[in-house]
Amino acid sequence: FASTYEGGLSASTFIDNTGRDFPMLTGNLVSICVGGLLCGFVTLFTRKSMNKEEVEEEWEKTRDIDNPLSPWILSFTEDLNIENATNDRPSQDTINEKFRTAKITAYTATLFFTLLYVFIWPGSMLSVHILDLSGFDVWTVISRCWAFIAAIFIITVPLVQEIFAILQQVKKNKSNENIKQTGINIGKQNENFTSDEVEL
């Protein structure tokens, strides 16, 4: 497409012609789409047809990727309502059931923000071709407010979540320490009993 403009792809006009809107749009679309389609086609033509058991076995390979210092089964014990955390991982069906709400929330949020950022937000600009000064001020105010709200959310929410997690862990540690101390005290009291007192 760049070659169809005046000067073509000569040394003097190469940057100008290839940097225009239509050639840039075409190049970006081709690079994104070809990469995605190529990966999909290669995957479809190079893998064999698998049954349900083989598919689950392949997914289990991804679950083997874990941090030995902090296994995920210990991190998600409370979320999965596991009483005794062991090295035996719960089935994928159990995980899907426990995190069904989170999955639906993620899908809904993805659809909503895709519509907002790809269609609604850019489409709103099509209603006015050329903004006057007041319209431009309104648009910039909205953009700044959106950016500030997003920045505040991104900065504060993880911080607040970590603080709550630390407080909950401190509370849990104190509770475990109290239980341990109570057990020690009971053991010391039992040591003071004689065999005759125990029989009585």
Side-chain angles (χ1 to χ4, degrees), residues 115-126:
L115 292 175
L116 178 64
Y117 291 129
V118 178
F119 297 102
I120 299 176
W121 186 277
S124 63
M125 294 297 297
L126 297 177

Side-chain angles (χ1 to χ4, degrees), residues 38-184:
L38 183 63
C39 292
F41 284 134
V42 171
T43 301
L44 290 175
F45 287 107
T46 56
R47 73 173 181 86
K48 63 178 183 178
S49 179
M50 296 186 295
N51 55 33
K52 183 178 180 181
E53 290 75 15
E54 291 175 335
V55 171
E56 291 180 356
E57 183 179 353
E58 289 297 319
W59 278 111
E60 284 296 323
K61 294 179 181 179
T62 64
R63 298 175 66 191
D64 290 335
I65 304 172
D66 201 357
N67 183 359
L69 299 178
S70 179
W72 71 268
I73 187 63
L74 298 179
S75 302
F76 293 96
T77 298
E78 296 181 359
D79 295 330
L80 296 173
N81 294 327
I82 301 175
E83 295 181 358
N84 297 320
T86 62
N87 292 329
D88 297 332
R89 295 178 300 195
S91 64
Q92 188 63 41
D93 292 335
T94 302
I95 296 175
N96 292 339
E97 182 181 354
K98 294 295 182 181
F99 292 101
R100 184 173 181 273
T101 302
K103 181 179 179 180
I104 294 175
T105 302
Y107 284 160
T108 304
T110 300
L111 179 61
F112 170 75
F113 285 113
T114 299
L115 292 175
L116 178 64
Y117 291 129
V118 178
F119 297 102
I120 299 176
W121 186 277
S124 63
M125 294 297 297
L126 297 177
S127 61
V128 179
H129 296 285
I130 300 177
L131 293 175
D132 56 12
L133 183 59
S134 61
F136 182 75
D137 288 339
V138 171
W139 179 255
T140 55
V141 168
I142 294 174
S143 300
R144 286 197 298 268
C145 290
W146 182 275
F148 287 137
I149 293 172
I152 292 172
F153 182 86
I154 292 171
I155 294 171
T156 58
V157 170
L159 179 62
V160 172
Q161 288 179 338
E162 288 299 321
I163 292 174
F164 275 111
I166 292 172
L167 294 176
Q168 289 178 355
Q169 188 62 43
V170 170
K171 185 178 179 180
K172 184 177 180 180
N173 291 345
K174 288 183 179 180
S175 177
N176 293 336
E177 186 177 347
N178 292 336
I179 294 173
K180 184 177 180 181
Q181 188 64 35
T182 302
I184 294 174

Side-chain angles (χ1 to χ4, degrees), residues 9-30:
L9 298 177
S10 62
S12 59
T13 59
F14 181 83
I15 296 178
D16 291 335
N17 289 342
T18 56
R20 295 194 181 190
D21 292 339
F22 194 65
M24 289 291 292
L25 176 62
T26 304
N28 289 331
L29 290 176
V30 169

